[in-house]
């Protein structure tokens, strides 16, 4: 398949450019999958201009395995190419046992960043994220740790992930006081998970508005709702699929109503002459505030399908109206009740 040229988008009012479609290594890049397949996917991505690889301390299994894998690539097939890549990592979820192994304390965040750098074998990441809001730690401490990461050169930029509109406004204010720029926000967003569009800030703005107005970049994750927004679950749950592993994707989410919505969205995609995955990604990319859409892939073919979104035709008003009919929240936002609603 011919490679569409990657397009880059500027992250808000920062100096950071990201490919419109980026690759995330949350699942499929741990010790439970053949490393040869992982290498094939990541090297194919880089070859196709996906310069941004998104990681976190806990991506595996076991936690840290995805970073260690990328570290091995940087010492072998990607040797000498660190400067071409944007490597991002996060801390917030459980990484090791005990009270210092998760959430948003200074002690945990900076220890975790150091461990990430060691696994990756690099002296800095491009973005270090607070992975989730921590209600038990003052924001000044969490953001102060991000400021230290940037000031010490261990991170080029700071970001936050899954913070609600209200918490984002608070974080922006605290960051301003610290002289810290929050370069990017990373929330979940898809046609079946639209919380970022809701007017939830005290002043009636949505998270998208808050992020856009603040000049932050927006990196949207799980645009395919973990694979639900493809054709794979239309007639069941295929063996080996993410839902069949029933870890982060509960197959019980695929109710007859949800399947009917996916069918409706698939019909719109067919009308556009493309796969549902492409339409789902293009739909998130159509918002000018979107800097990048973070996809996962368990094969090169899936990645190529997703990258096809870069060549998707613009949406007509009729298509957008038809999408809105079916694109309703479907209980697939794993991250909502954990931090974004706090
Ligand atoms: N900040 C956070 O808290 C957070 C949380 C979640 C994710 N993320 C980031 O976002 C990235 C992407 O998340 P995600 O993996 O959930 O994204 P996604 O793109 O919504 O789902 C990817 C999964 O869908 C399936 N798939 C992909 N393309 C397909 C296609 N063309 N046809 C059929 N199935 C297809 C694959 O699963 P199977 O083949 O295995 O079924 C693939 O692993 C993560 O890797 C991570 O970097 C961040």
């Amino acid at each position: 398949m011919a490679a569409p040229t990657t397009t880059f988008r500027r992250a808000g009012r920062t100096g950071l450019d990201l490919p419109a479609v980026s690759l995330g290594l949350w699942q499929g890049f741990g010790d439970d999958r053949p490393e040869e397949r992982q290498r094939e996917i990541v090297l194919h991505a880089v070859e196709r201009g996906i310069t941004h690889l998104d990681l976190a301390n806990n991506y595996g299994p076991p936690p840290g395995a995805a970073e260690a894998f990328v570290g091995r690539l940087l010492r072998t097939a990607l040797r000498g190419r660190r400067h071409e890549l944007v490597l991002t990592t996060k801390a917030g979820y459980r990484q090791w046992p005990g009270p210092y192994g998760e959430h948003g304390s200074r002690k945990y965040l900076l220890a975790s960043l150091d461990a990430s750098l060691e696994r990756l074998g690099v002296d800095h990441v491009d973005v270090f994220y607070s992975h989730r809001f921590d209600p038990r730690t003052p924001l000044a401490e969490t953001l102060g740790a991000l400021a230290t990461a940037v000031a010490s050169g261990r991170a080029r930029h700071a970001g936050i992930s899954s913070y609600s509109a209200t918490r984002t406004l608070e974080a922006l204010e605290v960051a301003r006081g610290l002289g810290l720029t929050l370069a990017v926000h990373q929330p979940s967003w898809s046609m079946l998970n639209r919380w970022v569009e809701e007017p939830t800030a005290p002043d009636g703005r949505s998270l998208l508005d808050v992020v856009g107005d603040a000049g932050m970049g927006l990196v949207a994750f799980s645009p395919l709702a973990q694979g639900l927004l493809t054709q794979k679950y239309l007639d069941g749950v295929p063996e080996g699929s993410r839902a069949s592993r029933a870890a982060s994707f509960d197959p019980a989410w695929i109710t007859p109503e949800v399947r009917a919505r996916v069918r409706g969205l698939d019909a719109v995609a067919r009308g556009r002459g493309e796969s549902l995955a492409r339409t789902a990604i293009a739909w998130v990319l159509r918002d000018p505030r979107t800097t990048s859409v973070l996809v996962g892939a368990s094969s090169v073919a899936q990645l190529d399908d997703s990258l096809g979104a870069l060549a998707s035709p613009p949406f007509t008003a009729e298509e957008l109206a038809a999408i809105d009919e079916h694109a309703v929240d479907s209980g697939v936002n794993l991250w909502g009740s954990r931090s974004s609603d706090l």
Side-chain angles (χ1 to χ4, degrees):
M1 169 183 169
T5 312
T6 301
T7 49
F8 286 85
R9 292 186 177 191
R10 187 49 64 108
R13 291 194 289 273
T14 73
L16 180 66
D17 286 328
L18 295 177
V21 176
S22 300
L23 180 66
L25 283 79
W26 174 34
Q27 297 199 28
F29 297 90
D31 292 353
D32 58 337
R33 298 288 177 92
E35 182 147 332
E36 197 39 50
R37 182 143 56 115
Q38 301 177 29
R39 280 171 63 92
E40 201 190 353
I41 295 168
V42 174
L43 295 179
H44 184 76
V46 172
E47 237 21 78
R48 296 216 37 199
I50 300 189
T51 52
H52 174 205
L53 303 178
D54 183 68
L55 292 152
N57 58 356
N58 60 334
Y59 291 177
E67 289 178 333
F69 158 64
V70 171
R72 287 193 291 281
L73 273 189
L74 290 169
R75 287 192 297 278
T76 54
L78 294 177
R79 192 180 181 86
R81 298 184 67 180
R82 167 69 184 95
H83 61 285
E84 293 176 38
L85 300 171
V86 168
L87 301 176
T88 58
T89 196
K90 324 181 189 77
Y93 289 103
R94 180 158 287 287
Q95 176 70 359
W96 52 76
Y100 317 118
E102 64 178 328
H103 295 312
S105 70
R106 182 174 180 82
K107 179 171 171 60
Y108 161 68
L109 290 175
L110 291 173
S112 176
L113 175 58
D114 286 342
S116 291
L117 295 177
E118 195 172 323
R119 281 189 290 272
L120 286 163
V122 297
D123 64 359
H124 71 277
V125 289
D126 294 281
V127 181
F128 182 47
Y129 287 96
S130 162
H131 209 159
R132 58 172 166 171
F133 174 74
D134 174 3
R136 291 180 56 241
T137 302
L139 265 175
E141 177 169 333
T142 300
L143 299 177
L146 299 189
T148 297
V150 173
S152 63
R154 285 177 275 179
R156 295 293 184 252
H157 298 277
I160 54 177
S161 178
S162 296
Y163 281 46
S164 66
T166 303
R167 297 305 183 193
T168 300
L169 283 170
E170 289 169 9
L172 284 163
E173 192 176 327
V174 172
R176 208 171 297 121
L178 294 168
L180 171 72
T181 299
L182 289 175
V184 270
H185 194 308
Q186 189 179 126
S188 59
W189 188 17
S190 73
M191 294 194 296
L192 297 177
N193 169 23
R194 302 184 64 170
W195 72 282
V196 297
E197 301 170 51
E198 291 161 13
T200 50
D203 59 8
R205 284 185 295 164
S206 65
L207 178 63
L208 290 179
D209 295 334
V210 168
V211 166
D213 293 348
M216 300 173 83
L218 185 97
V219 175
F221 71 78
S222 298
L224 303 178
Q226 300 199 58
L228 182 52
L229 284 166
T230 66
Q231 287 154 342
K232 77 186 329 166
Y233 297 112
L234 286 180
D235 298 309
V237 175
E239 191 54 40
S241 62
R242 194 179 289 186
S244 75
R245 297 192 295 279
S248 66
F249 184 159
D250 184 347
W253 291 344
I254 317 174
T255 60
E257 293 75 26
V258 168
R259 194 168 264 136
R261 285 174 200 152
V262 177
R263 279 191 201 288
L265 294 166
D266 186 44
V268 177
R270 284 176 194 273
R272 288 163 54 79
E274 63 182 11
S275 70
L276 176 52
R278 280 174 64 159
T279 290
I281 292 166
W283 182 83
V284 176
L285 280 173
R286 88 194 186 290
D287 191 306
R289 293 166 296 195
T290 303
T291 310
S292 187
V293 169
L294 266 181
V295 301
S298 62
S299 68
V300 165
Q302 286 183 355
L303 182 62
D304 278 336
D305 187 20
S306 295
L307 284 174
L310 296 170
S312 277
F315 289 94
T316 64
E318 292 72 30
E319 284 167 353
L320 288 175
I323 287 171
D324 272 339
E325 233 179 85
H326 307 289
V328 293
D329 271 334
S330 299
V332 300
N333 183 9
L334 254 189
W335 305 272
S337 58
R338 292 194 193 172
S339 56
S340 57
D341 295 342
L342 293 168

